Amino acid sequence: MTTAKKPAVKKTAKTEPQFAMPMEVKDWIDQASSRMAHMTSEIARLKEENKQLKRTHKLMEQRVMGMSSE
């Protein structure tokens, strides 16, 4: 009885194809991300400013209403 060697089977990992992105597209995406970050911070600032203005408006309205009743 002879033992025959099985041929070695190479296992290769299935790799996904990698696509190279043109530099113009990468730059455009970076610029868009930067603009979005800026706009997000601008929105937060404006919301805070709006809250302060509403608070001030309410105080001034109360002050004026208090003066008109006297």
Side-chain angles (χ1 to χ4, degrees):
M1 209 151 90
T2 60
T3 308
K5 288 186 178 180
K6 292 183 179 179
V9 178
K10 291 184 180 179
K11 291 185 180 181
T12 58
K14 189 174 185 179
T15 58
E16 295 292 324
Q18 292 185 357
F19 300 101
M21 188 183 315
M23 286 304 292
E24 299 86 29
V25 175
K26 184 183 179 315
D27 290 342
W28 183 85
I29 291 172
D30 290 343
Q31 288 174 359
S33 296
S34 175
R35 285 187 192 118
M36 285 177 59
H38 173 72
M39 290 297 168
T40 302
S41 65
E42 189 72 9
I43 287 169
R45 184 188 67 78
L46 290 171
K47 281 183 178 180
E48 185 61 35
E49 184 179 340
N50 196 21
K51 276 201 298 193
Q52 298 245 341
L53 288 171
K54 283 181 180 180
R55 195 175 304 133
T56 303
H57 175 64
K58 192 176 248 182
L59 286 171
M60 293 300 136
E61 190 176 57
Q62 288 173 352
R63 191 179 283 178
V64 169
M65 294 302 280
M67 291 175 73
S68 65
S69 64
E70 291 179 5

